[in-house]
Amino acid sequence: MTKVPNGFEIIQLFEQFSPKAYAVEGDKIGLQIGSLNKPIHNIMVALDVLEEVVDEAIRKNVDLIIAHHPPIFRPMKSINIDTPAGRIVAKCIKHDIAVYAAHTNLDVAEGGVNDLLAEALELQNTSVSAPTYEEKYKKLVVYVPKDSAQAVRDAVCQAGAGFIGNYSHCTFTQEGTGTFLPSGNTNPYIGEVGKLEEVEESRIETIFQSSIEKKVIKAMLVAHPYEEVAYDIFSLANQGESLGLGRIGKLQEEMTLEEFAYHVKKSLGVEGVRVVGNLQGKVKKVAVLGGDGNKYISQAKFKGADVFVTGDLYYHVAHDAMMMGLAIVDPGHHIEHIMKKGVTSYLAKVFEEKKYQVAIFPSEGSTDPFRFL
Ligand SMILES: [Zn+2]
């Protein structure tokens, strides 16, 4: 049975891939325009929400735009439809197009912007170059009648709990005796009102990433037979997985900076690149950070990169890189358009699994403001 999903169902799936918690502080992410409380038939994935992108969405009967760059980034003081920024909001509202932004959370996400770029550049053994987020873990302890223990364990593991490194379904169960006294106004699963009950119970423990807490607890409560479930959640001090912006990895073969610059140009399909450094110098270790990486040159150098691929490079930052002996290749900010195909193919796959009847496609036009002559 296929079904037409609503906006919340779509975003719930998307946020499993690119959780909001991954965004850097103060980023403007999430629903920016319109409502998710409606059926979604057509989704368009865009890098930027410019007026021509909204016009394309109107032509294609789009209900939801998933964008990388939030159209409302600085506070808007007015929605004046004589300005392009005002018209973008007004046209979306008028044509019932919701706009949802996933910005730095999509940069950080596994399989997001930076992984897609690292993959396009054929980097091997990549890791995070600029950590921004450490996954925190929590522990769930729940008491459940013995015969329901398996169902509760399965439910929480299905919801994503119980992962330790590459091991899934990590839980611990201990048997014991639980007691309870049902008072008036209760409808106990076991026992009678006013009578002290003793019951064979299992104490199940497992850990989960705090970003999926709601999902895990909900799954546990649904699978648990009791009206009032006894459970504890503990915050853990264990060090979690470190996620972040940018990736660093190695080229299969060492090459000159000049050869590498042409490799970047070709693999990312850009008209031109700006290069800082000795063109005949050798490069092997590469850091890449989609968007504006000016703040991250020292980190790239510190991580041992020979060359850093990033956009929007400033003149003085280029000098700093030159002086610290870090080569830079700047292919522009627009290379992040790689997310259009990446997000489209990820969501198309999960929609198919869910049997969601919804079309998803990348926005067609280029929003690169720069031309090379
Ligand atoms: Zn960007």
Side-chain angles (χ1 to χ4, degrees), residues 119-156:
E119 201 183 310
L121 295 175
E122 296 167 34
L123 303 187
Q124 322 278 317
N125 301 319
T126 52
S127 57
V128 171
S129 64
T132 51
Y133 177 85
E134 195 191 307
E135 191 75 83
K136 293 269 179 257
Y137 285 101
K138 289 191 176 180
K139 170 164 278 200
L140 168 69
V141 174
V142 55
Y143 302 87
V144 54
K146 245 169 110 175
D147 54 0
S148 298
Q150 190 63 48
V152 170
R153 264 195 305 265
D154 287 348
V156 295

PDB file of all heavy atoms in Angstrom, residues 119-156:
ATOM      1  N   GLU A 119      34.083  12.516  -1.417  1.00  0.00           N
ATOM      2  CA  GLU A 119      33.879  11.389  -2.332  1.00  0.00           C
ATOM      3  C   GLU A 119      34.138  11.820  -3.779  1.00  0.00           C
ATOM      4  O   GLU A 119      34.813  11.123  -4.533  1.00  0.00           O
ATOM      5  CB  GLU A 119      32.434  10.911  -2.173  1.00  0.00           C
ATOM      6  CG  GLU A 119      32.175   9.509  -2.638  1.00  0.00           C
ATOM      7  CD  GLU A 119      30.692   9.182  -2.494  1.00  0.00           C
ATOM      8  OE1 GLU A 119      30.125   9.421  -1.397  1.00  0.00           O
ATOM      9  OE2 GLU A 119      30.105   8.732  -3.475  1.00  0.00           O
ATOM     10  N   ALA A 120      33.625  12.990  -4.146  1.00  0.00           N
ATOM     11  CA  ALA A 120      33.831  13.495  -5.518  1.00  0.00           C
ATOM     12  C   ALA A 120      35.321  13.695  -5.792  1.00  0.00           C
ATOM     13  O   ALA A 120      35.789  13.498  -6.907  1.00  0.00           O
ATOM     14  CB  ALA A 120      33.061  14.790  -5.723  1.00  0.00           C
ATOM     15  N   LEU A 121      36.080  14.089  -4.756  1.00  0.00           N
ATOM     16  CA  LEU A 121      37.526  14.309  -4.932  1.00  0.00           C
ATOM     17  C   LEU A 121      38.321  13.012  -4.792  1.00  0.00           C
ATOM     18  O   LEU A 121      39.543  13.022  -4.847  1.00  0.00           O
ATOM     19  CB  LEU A 121      38.030  15.337  -3.901  1.00  0.00           C
ATOM     20  CG  LEU A 121      37.481  16.761  -4.036  1.00  0.00           C
ATOM     21  CD1 LEU A 121      37.954  17.635  -2.880  1.00  0.00           C
ATOM     22  CD2 LEU A 121      37.906  17.378  -5.365  1.00  0.00           C
ATOM     23  N   GLU A 122      37.616  11.929  -4.571  1.00  0.00           N
ATOM     24  CA  GLU A 122      38.208  10.587  -4.435  1.00  0.00           C
ATOM     25  C   GLU A 122      39.206  10.510  -3.282  1.00  0.00           C
ATOM     26  O   GLU A 122      40.274   9.915  -3.410  1.00  0.00           O
ATOM     27  CB  GLU A 122      38.860  10.141  -5.745  1.00  0.00           C
ATOM     28  CG  GLU A 122      37.860   9.988  -6.883  1.00  0.00           C
ATOM     29  CD  GLU A 122      38.533   9.848  -8.241  1.00  0.00           C
ATOM     30  OE1 GLU A 122      39.612   9.251  -8.302  1.00  0.00           O
ATOM     31  OE2 GLU A 122      37.960  10.347  -9.221  1.00  0.00           O
ATOM     32  N   LEU A 123      38.852  11.122  -2.151  1.00  0.00           N
ATOM     33  CA  LEU A 123      39.723  11.036  -0.973  1.00  0.00           C
ATOM     34  C   LEU A 123      39.498   9.688  -0.280  1.00  0.00           C
ATOM     35  O   LEU A 123      38.377   9.206  -0.193  1.00  0.00           O
ATOM     36  CB  LEU A 123      39.435  12.179  -0.001  1.00  0.00           C
ATOM     37  CG  LEU A 123      39.554  13.594  -0.571  1.00  0.00           C
ATOM     38  CD1 LEU A 123      39.406  14.623   0.545  1.00  0.00           C
ATOM     39  CD2 LEU A 123      40.886  13.799  -1.283  1.00  0.00           C
ATOM     40  N   GLN A 124      40.594   9.140   0.219  1.00  0.00           N
ATOM     41  CA  GLN A 124      40.528   7.825   0.878  1.00  0.00           C
ATOM     42  C   GLN A 124      40.647   7.997   2.396  1.00  0.00           C
ATOM     43  O   GLN A 124      41.311   8.926   2.852  1.00  0.00           O
ATOM     44  CB  GLN A 124      41.704   6.941   0.426  1.00  0.00           C
ATOM     45  CG  GLN A 124      42.077   7.068  -1.030  1.00  0.00           C
ATOM     46  CD  GLN A 124      41.181   6.224  -1.917  1.00  0.00           C
ATOM     47  OE1 GLN A 124      40.881   5.076  -1.576  1.00  0.00           O
ATOM     48  NE2 GLN A 124      40.739   6.784  -3.027  1.00  0.00           N
ATOM     49  N   ASN A 125      40.089   7.073   3.130  1.00  0.00           N
ATOM     50  CA  ASN A 125      40.191   7.048   4.602  1.00  0.00           C
ATOM     51  C   ASN A 125      39.900   8.408   5.231  1.00  0.00           C
ATOM     52  O   ASN A 125      40.716   8.935   5.975  1.00  0.00           O
ATOM     53  CB  ASN A 125      41.585   6.611   5.061  1.00  0.00           C
ATOM     54  CG  ASN A 125      41.918   5.244   4.547  1.00  0.00           C
ATOM     55  OD1 ASN A 125      41.069   4.353   4.540  1.00  0.00           O
ATOM     56  ND2 ASN A 125      43.138   5.070   4.077  1.00  0.00           N
ATOM     57  N   THR A 126      38.762   8.953   4.932  1.00  0.00           N
ATOM     58  CA  THR A 126      38.474  10.308   5.421  1.00  0.00           C
ATOM     59  C   THR A 126      38.044  10.302   6.885  1.00  0.00           C
ATOM     60  O   THR A 126      37.464   9.331   7.380  1.00  0.00           O
ATOM     61  CB  THR A 126      37.356  10.956   4.599  1.00  0.00           C
ATOM     62  OG1 THR A 126      36.256  10.066   4.554  1.00  0.00           O
ATOM     63  CG2 THR A 126      37.823  11.275   3.190  1.00  0.00           C
ATOM     64  N   SER A 127      38.366  11.411   7.557  1.00  0.00           N
ATOM     65  CA  SER A 127      37.847  11.645   8.907  1.00  0.00           C
ATOM     66  C   SER A 127      37.466  13.123   9.004  1.00  0.00           C
ATOM     67  O   SER A 127      37.709  13.886   8.077  1.00  0.00           O
ATOM     68  CB  SER A 127      38.898  11.263   9.950  1.00  0.00           C
ATOM     69  OG  SER A 127      40.077  11.989   9.714  1.00  0.00           O
ATOM     70  N   VAL A 128      36.883  13.490  10.146  1.00  0.00           N
ATOM     71  CA  VAL A 128      36.411  14.867  10.330  1.00  0.00           C
ATOM     72  C   VAL A 128      37.610  15.803  10.503  1.00  0.00           C
ATOM     73  O   VAL A 128      38.526  15.503  11.268  1.00  0.00           O
ATOM     74  CB  VAL A 128      35.497  14.928  11.570  1.00  0.00           C
ATOM     75  CG1 VAL A 128      35.162  16.365  11.949  1.00  0.00           C
ATOM     76  CG2 VAL A 128      34.226  14.134  11.309  1.00  0.00           C
ATOM     77  N   SER A 129      37.615  16.945   9.792  1.00  0.00           N
ATOM     78  CA  SER A 129      38.759  17.854   9.936  1.00  0.00           C
ATOM     79  C   SER A 129      38.511  18.958  10.967  1.00  0.00           C
ATOM     80  O   SER A 129      39.435  19.450  11.576  1.00  0.00           O
ATOM     81  CB  SER A 129      39.160  18.454   8.587  1.00  0.00           C
ATOM     82  OG  SER A 129      38.137  19.248   8.075  1.00  0.00           O
ATOM     83  N   ALA A 130      37.275  19.353  11.161  1.00  0.00           N
ATOM     84  CA  ALA A 130      36.985  20.405  12.146  1.00  0.00           C
ATOM     85  C   ALA A 130      35.822  19.954  13.043  1.00  0.00           C
ATOM     86  O   ALA A 130      34.659  20.218  12.740  1.00  0.00           O
ATOM     87  CB  ALA A 130      36.642  21.705  11.426  1.00  0.00           C
ATOM     88  N   PRO A 131      36.136  19.254  14.148  1.00  0.00           N
ATOM     89  CA  PRO A 131      35.054  18.742  15.003  1.00  0.00           C
ATOM     90  C   PRO A 131      34.208  19.877  15.595  1.00  0.00           C
ATOM     91  O   PRO A 131      34.751  20.877  16.058  1.00  0.00           O
ATOM     92  CB  PRO A 131      35.791  17.994  16.120  1.00  0.00           C
ATOM     93  CG  PRO A 131      37.175  17.780  15.602  1.00  0.00           C
ATOM     94  CD  PRO A 131      37.458  18.916  14.679  1.00  0.00           C
ATOM     95  N   THR A 132      32.894  19.714  15.527  1.00  0.00           N
ATOM     96  CA  THR A 132      31.991  20.745  16.071  1.00  0.00           C
ATOM     97  C   THR A 132      30.953  20.131  17.003  1.00  0.00           C
ATOM     98  O   THR A 132      30.227  20.838  17.685  1.00  0.00           O
ATOM     99  CB  THR A 132      31.210  21.448  14.946  1.00  0.00           C
ATOM    100  OG1 THR A 132      30.596  20.444  14.128  1.00  0.00           O
ATOM    101  CG2 THR A 132      32.111  22.307  14.081  1.00  0.00           C
ATOM    102  N   TYR A 133      30.857  18.816  16.987  1.00  0.00           N
ATOM    103  CA  TYR A 133      29.759  18.191  17.717  1.00  0.00           C
ATOM    104  C   TYR A 133      30.201  16.847  18.263  1.00  0.00           C
ATOM    105  O   TYR A 133      30.762  16.036  17.528  1.00  0.00           O
ATOM    106  CB  TYR A 133      28.576  17.973  16.756  1.00  0.00           C
ATOM    107  CG  TYR A 133      27.396  17.262  17.363  1.00  0.00           C
ATOM    108  CD1 TYR A 133      26.430  17.961  18.074  1.00  0.00           C
ATOM    109  CD2 TYR A 133      27.242  15.883  17.233  1.00  0.00           C
ATOM    110  CE1 TYR A 133      25.340  17.312  18.633  1.00  0.00           C
ATOM    111  CE2 TYR A 133      26.164  15.220  17.792  1.00  0.00           C
ATOM    112  CZ  TYR A 133      25.212  15.945  18.487  1.00  0.00           C
ATOM    113  OH  TYR A 133      24.146  15.298  19.044  1.00  0.00           O
ATOM    114  N   GLU A 134      29.997  16.650  19.540  1.00  0.00           N
ATOM    115  CA  GLU A 134      30.285  15.336  20.097  1.00  0.00           C
ATOM    116  C   GLU A 134      28.985  14.672  20.497  1.00  0.00           C
ATOM    117  O   GLU A 134      28.196  15.243  21.259  1.00  0.00           O
ATOM    118  CB  GLU A 134      31.213  15.446  21.306  1.00  0.00           C
ATOM    119  CG  GLU A 134      31.809  14.096  21.650  1.00  0.00           C
ATOM    120  CD  GLU A 134      32.511  14.117  22.985  1.00  0.00           C
ATOM    121  OE1 GLU A 134      33.378  14.978  23.195  1.00  0.00           O
ATOM    122  OE2 GLU A 134      32.157  13.275  23.833  1.00  0.00           O
ATOM    123  N   GLU A 135      28.774  13.498  19.968  1.00  0.00           N
ATOM    124  CA  GLU A 135      27.547  12.767  20.254  1.00  0.00           C
ATOM    125  C   GLU A 135      27.536  12.382  21.731  1.00  0.00           C
ATOM    126  O   GLU A 135      28.488  11.790  22.224  1.00  0.00           O
ATOM    127  CB  GLU A 135      27.529  11.513  19.375  1.00  0.00           C
ATOM    128  CG  GLU A 135      26.235  10.772  19.351  1.00  0.00           C
ATOM    129  CD  GLU A 135      25.150  11.449  18.523  1.00  0.00           C
ATOM    130  OE1 GLU A 135      25.139  11.265  17.302  1.00  0.00           O
ATOM    131  OE2 GLU A 135      24.320  12.142  19.125  1.00  0.00           O
ATOM    132  N   LYS A 136      26.481  12.771  22.448  1.00  0.00           N
ATOM    133  CA  LYS A 136      26.367  12.403  23.858  1.00  0.00           C
ATOM    134  C   LYS A 136      25.510  11.149  23.970  1.00  0.00           C
ATOM    135  O   LYS A 136      24.570  10.963  23.206  1.00  0.00           O
ATOM    136  CB  LYS A 136      25.682  13.543  24.639  1.00  0.00           C
ATOM    137  CG  LYS A 136      26.532  14.799  24.706  1.00  0.00           C
ATOM    138  CD  LYS A 136      27.419  14.777  25.949  1.00  0.00           C
ATOM    139  CE  LYS A 136      28.305  16.000  26.042  1.00  0.00           C
ATOM    140  NZ  LYS A 136      29.704  15.743  25.664  1.00  0.00           N
ATOM    141  N   TYR A 137      25.875  10.331  24.933  1.00  0.00           N
ATOM    142  CA  TYR A 137      25.109   9.101  25.134  1.00  0.00           C
ATOM    143  C   TYR A 137      24.303   9.158  26.430  1.00  0.00           C
ATOM    144  O   TYR A 137      24.674   9.851  27.387  1.00  0.00           O
ATOM    145  CB  TYR A 137      26.044   7.894  25.180  1.00  0.00           C
ATOM    146  CG  TYR A 137      26.561   7.528  23.822  1.00  0.00           C
ATOM    147  CD1 TYR A 137      27.823   7.896  23.417  1.00  0.00           C
ATOM    148  CD2 TYR A 137      25.746   6.821  22.933  1.00  0.00           C
ATOM    149  CE1 TYR A 137      28.290   7.569  22.146  1.00  0.00           C
ATOM    150  CE2 TYR A 137      26.202   6.490  21.669  1.00  0.00           C
ATOM    151  CZ  TYR A 137      27.473   6.862  21.284  1.00  0.00           C
ATOM    152  OH  TYR A 137      27.917   6.536  20.034  1.00  0.00           O
ATOM    153  N   LYS A 138      23.206   8.425  26.451  1.00  0.00           N
ATOM    154  CA  LYS A 138      22.426   8.267  27.671  1.00  0.00           C
ATOM    155  C   LYS A 138      22.169   6.786  27.877  1.00  0.00           C
ATOM    156  O   LYS A 138      22.285   6.000  26.942  1.00  0.00           O
ATOM    157  CB  LYS A 138      21.091   9.015  27.542  1.00  0.00           C
ATOM    158  CG  LYS A 138      21.277  10.516  27.565  1.00  0.00           C
ATOM    159  CD  LYS A 138      19.978  11.255  27.712  1.00  0.00           C
ATOM    160  CE  LYS A 138      20.246  12.738  27.820  1.00  0.00           C
ATOM    161  NZ  LYS A 138      19.006  13.509  27.975  1.00  0.00           N
ATOM    162  N   LYS A 139      21.845   6.462  29.124  1.00  0.00           N
ATOM    163  CA  LYS A 139      21.524   5.068  29.426  1.00  0.00           C
ATOM    164  C   LYS A 139      20.053   4.978  29.803  1.00  0.00           C
ATOM    165  O   LYS A 139      19.534   5.813  30.535  1.00  0.00           O
ATOM    166  CB  LYS A 139      22.393   4.575  30.588  1.00  0.00           C
ATOM    167  CG  LYS A 139      21.937   3.216  31.109  1.00  0.00           C
ATOM    168  CD  LYS A 139      22.985   2.557  31.969  1.00  0.00           C
ATOM    169  CE  LYS A 139      24.003   1.874  31.112  1.00  0.00           C
ATOM    170  NZ  LYS A 139      24.772   0.840  31.804  1.00  0.00           N
ATOM    171  N   LEU A 140      19.416   3.954  29.262  1.00  0.00           N
ATOM    172  CA  LEU A 140      18.024   3.680  29.617  1.00  0.00           C
ATOM    173  C   LEU A 140      17.989   2.409  30.458  1.00  0.00           C
ATOM    174  O   LEU A 140      18.595   1.398  30.087  1.00  0.00           O
ATOM    175  CB  LEU A 140      17.186   3.462  28.343  1.00  0.00           C
ATOM    176  CG  LEU A 140      15.788   2.885  28.551  1.00  0.00           C
ATOM    177  CD1 LEU A 140      14.874   3.896  29.239  1.00  0.00           C
ATOM    178  CD2 LEU A 140      15.174   2.460  27.208  1.00  0.00           C
ATOM    179  N   VAL A 141      17.306   2.494  31.611  1.00  0.00           N
ATOM    180  CA  VAL A 141      17.039   1.301  32.422  1.00  0.00           C
ATOM    181  C   VAL A 141      15.527   1.184  32.530  1.00  0.00           C
ATOM    182  O   VAL A 141      14.857   2.137  32.920  1.00  0.00           O
ATOM    183  CB  VAL A 141      17.663   1.424  33.831  1.00  0.00           C
ATOM    184  CG1 VAL A 141      17.247   0.235  34.693  1.00  0.00           C
ATOM    185  CG2 VAL A 141      19.179   1.516  33.745  1.00  0.00           C
ATOM    186  N   VAL A 142      15.002   0.031  32.150  1.00  0.00           N
ATOM    187  CA  VAL A 142      13.546  -0.139  32.203  1.00  0.00           C
ATOM    188  C   VAL A 142      13.204  -1.490  32.825  1.00  0.00           C
ATOM    189  O   VAL A 142      13.895  -2.484  32.594  1.00  0.00           O
ATOM    190  CB  VAL A 142      12.903   0.047  30.800  1.00  0.00           C
ATOM    191  CG1 VAL A 142      13.512  -0.859  29.756  1.00  0.00           C
ATOM    192  CG2 VAL A 142      11.393  -0.149  30.849  1.00  0.00           C
ATOM    193  N   TYR A 143      12.159  -1.512  33.621  1.00  0.00           N
ATOM    194  CA  TYR A 143      11.694  -2.728  34.286  1.00  0.00           C
ATOM    195  C   TYR A 143      10.466  -3.226  33.544  1.00  0.00           C
ATOM    196  O   TYR A 143       9.535  -2.453  33.310  1.00  0.00           O
ATOM    197  CB  TYR A 143      11.368  -2.424  35.758  1.00  0.00           C
ATOM    198  CG  TYR A 143      12.587  -1.875  36.475  1.00  0.00           C
ATOM    199  CD1 TYR A 143      12.870  -0.505  36.461  1.00  0.00           C
ATOM    200  CD2 TYR A 143      13.474  -2.743  37.110  1.00  0.00           C
ATOM    201  CE1 TYR A 143      14.008  -0.008  37.076  1.00  0.00           C
ATOM    202  CE2 TYR A 143      14.609  -2.253  37.727  1.00  0.00           C
ATOM    203  CZ  TYR A 143      14.876  -0.888  37.707  1.00  0.00           C
ATOM    204  OH  TYR A 143      16.006  -0.406  38.307  1.00  0.00           O
ATOM    205  N   VAL A 144      10.490  -4.502  33.200  1.00  0.00           N
ATOM    206  CA  VAL A 144       9.430  -5.024  32.337  1.00  0.00           C
ATOM    207  C   VAL A 144       9.121  -6.467  32.755  1.00  0.00           C
ATOM    208  O   VAL A 144      10.026  -7.202  33.173  1.00  0.00           O
ATOM    209  CB  VAL A 144       9.889  -4.912  30.857  1.00  0.00           C
ATOM    210  CG1 VAL A 144      11.229  -5.563  30.613  1.00  0.00           C
ATOM    211  CG2 VAL A 144       8.883  -5.464  29.879  1.00  0.00           C
ATOM    212  N   PRO A 145       7.834  -6.891  32.715  1.00  0.00           N
ATOM    213  CA  PRO A 145       7.549  -8.295  33.053  1.00  0.00           C
ATOM    214  C   PRO A 145       8.324  -9.225  32.119  1.00  0.00           C
ATOM    215  O   PRO A 145       8.476  -8.921  30.936  1.00  0.00           O
ATOM    216  CB  PRO A 145       6.040  -8.437  32.837  1.00  0.00           C
ATOM    217  CG  PRO A 145       5.552  -7.165  32.274  1.00  0.00           C
ATOM    218  CD  PRO A 145       6.626  -6.148  32.363  1.00  0.00           C
ATOM    219  N   LYS A 146       8.801 -10.329  32.686  1.00  0.00           N
ATOM    220  CA  LYS A 146       9.724 -11.220  31.976  1.00  0.00           C
ATOM    221  C   LYS A 146       9.257 -11.583  30.560  1.00  0.00           C
ATOM    222  O   LYS A 146      10.039 -11.570  29.623  1.00  0.00           O
ATOM    223  CB  LYS A 146       9.896 -12.513  32.783  1.00  0.00           C
ATOM    224  CG  LYS A 146      11.300 -12.704  33.301  1.00  0.00           C
ATOM    225  CD  LYS A 146      11.329 -13.834  34.294  1.00  0.00           C
ATOM    226  CE  LYS A 146      12.067 -15.044  33.751  1.00  0.00           C
ATOM    227  NZ  LYS A 146      12.182 -16.107  34.775  1.00  0.00           N
ATOM    228  N   ASP A 147       7.958 -11.865  30.450  1.00  0.00           N
ATOM    229  CA  ASP A 147       7.491 -12.348  29.141  1.00  0.00           C
ATOM    230  C   ASP A 147       7.412 -11.234  28.085  1.00  0.00           C
ATOM    231  O   ASP A 147       7.177 -11.519  26.914  1.00  0.00           O
ATOM    232  CB  ASP A 147       6.141 -13.090  29.270  1.00  0.00           C
ATOM    233  CG  ASP A 147       5.091 -12.262  29.972  1.00  0.00           C
ATOM    234  OD1 ASP A 147       5.410 -11.113  30.353  1.00  0.00           O
ATOM    235  OD2 ASP A 147       3.956 -12.759  30.145  1.00  0.00           O
ATOM    236  N   SER A 148       7.577  -9.980  28.519  1.00  0.00           N
ATOM    237  CA  SER A 148       7.566  -8.895  27.524  1.00  0.00           C
ATOM    238  C   SER A 148       8.969  -8.342  27.282  1.00  0.00           C
ATOM    239  O   SER A 148       9.136  -7.384  26.515  1.00  0.00           O
ATOM    240  CB  SER A 148       6.662  -7.749  27.990  1.00  0.00           C
ATOM    241  OG  SER A 148       5.343  -8.200  28.129  1.00  0.00           O
ATOM    242  N   ALA A 149       9.969  -8.932  27.943  1.00  0.00           N
ATOM    243  CA  ALA A 149      11.328  -8.376  27.853  1.00  0.00           C
ATOM    244  C   ALA A 149      11.847  -8.357  26.418  1.00  0.00           C
ATOM    245  O   ALA A 149      12.404  -7.357  25.960  1.00  0.00           O
ATOM    246  CB  ALA A 149      12.274  -9.166  28.754  1.00  0.00           C
ATOM    247  N   GLN A 150      11.624  -9.455  25.717  1.00  0.00           N
ATOM    248  CA  GLN A 150      12.134  -9.538  24.350  1.00  0.00           C
ATOM    249  C   GLN A 150      11.521  -8.455  23.461  1.00  0.00           C
ATOM    250  O   GLN A 150      12.227  -7.793  22.690  1.00  0.00           O
ATOM    251  CB  GLN A 150      11.834 -10.935  23.779  1.00  0.00           C
ATOM    252  CG  GLN A 150      12.516 -11.221  22.452  1.00  0.00           C
ATOM    253  CD  GLN A 150      14.042 -11.208  22.558  1.00  0.00           C
ATOM    254  OE1 GLN A 150      14.605 -11.826  23.461  1.00  0.00           O
ATOM    255  NE2 GLN A 150      14.698 -10.498  21.670  1.00  0.00           N
ATOM    256  N   ALA A 151      10.217  -8.263  23.611  1.00  0.00           N
ATOM    257  CA  ALA A 151       9.521  -7.264  22.777  1.00  0.00           C
ATOM    258  C   ALA A 151      10.061  -5.863  23.046  1.00  0.00           C
ATOM    259  O   ALA A 151      10.266  -5.070  22.119  1.00  0.00           O
ATOM    260  CB  ALA A 151       8.022  -7.318  23.051  1.00  0.00           C
ATOM    261  N   VAL A 152      10.322  -5.543  24.321  1.00  0.00           N
ATOM    262  CA  VAL A 152      10.818  -4.205  24.671  1.00  0.00           C
ATOM    263  C   VAL A 152      12.252  -4.028  24.165  1.00  0.00           C
ATOM    264  O   VAL A 152      12.603  -2.990  23.599  1.00  0.00           O
ATOM    265  CB  VAL A 152      10.706  -3.951  26.191  1.00  0.00           C
ATOM    266  CG1 VAL A 152      11.435  -2.688  26.604  1.00  0.00           C
ATOM    267  CG2 VAL A 152       9.234  -3.876  26.594  1.00  0.00           C
ATOM    268  N   ARG A 153      13.077  -5.078  24.340  1.00  0.00           N
ATOM    269  CA  ARG A 153      14.454  -5.012  23.831  1.00  0.00           C
ATOM    270  C   ARG A 153      14.448  -4.780  22.323  1.00  0.00           C
ATOM    271  O   ARG A 153      15.161  -3.920  21.807  1.00  0.00           O
ATOM    272  CB  ARG A 153      15.186  -6.329  24.119  1.00  0.00           C
ATOM    273  CG  ARG A 153      16.018  -6.306  25.389  1.00  0.00           C
ATOM    274  CD  ARG A 153      16.989  -7.484  25.406  1.00  0.00           C
ATOM    275  NE  ARG A 153      16.313  -8.754  25.237  1.00  0.00           N
ATOM    276  CZ  ARG A 153      15.940  -9.535  26.254  1.00  0.00           C
ATOM    277  NH1 ARG A 153      16.196  -9.193  27.494  1.00  0.00           N
ATOM    278  NH2 ARG A 153      15.331 -10.677  26.012  1.00  0.00           N
ATOM    279  N   ASP A 154      13.614  -5.536  21.612  1.00  0.00           N
ATOM    280  CA  ASP A 154      13.553  -5.384  20.150  1.00  0.00           C
ATOM    281  C   ASP A 154      13.122  -3.982  19.769  1.00  0.00           C
ATOM    282  O   ASP A 154      13.682  -3.376  18.852  1.00  0.00           O
ATOM    283  CB  ASP A 154      12.554  -6.390  19.546  1.00  0.00           C
ATOM    284  CG  ASP A 154      13.099  -7.806  19.577  1.00  0.00           C
ATOM    285  OD1 ASP A 154      14.307  -7.973  19.843  1.00  0.00           O
ATOM    286  OD2 ASP A 154      12.304  -8.749  19.344  1.00  0.00           O
ATOM    287  N   ALA A 155      12.121  -3.464  20.481  1.00  0.00           N
ATOM    288  CA  ALA A 155      11.576  -2.150  20.121  1.00  0.00           C
ATOM    289  C   ALA A 155      12.625  -1.055  20.292  1.00  0.00           C
ATOM    290  O   ALA A 155      12.793  -0.202  19.410  1.00  0.00           O
ATOM    291  CB  ALA A 155      10.342  -1.841  20.968  1.00  0.00           C
ATOM    292  N   VAL A 156      13.351  -1.059  21.413  1.00  0.00           N
ATOM    293  CA  VAL A 156      14.337   0.020  21.623  1.00  0.00           C
ATOM    294  C   VAL A 156      15.513  -0.125  20.661  1.00  0.00           C
ATOM    295  O   VAL A 156      16.044   0.871  20.171  1.00  0.00           O
ATOM    296  CB  VAL A 156      14.807   0.149  23.101  1.00  0.00           C
ATOM    297  CG1 VAL A 156      13.658   0.574  24.001  1.00  0.00           C
ATOM    298  CG2 VAL A 156      15.472  -1.101  23.615  1.00  0.00           C
TER     299      VAL A 156
END
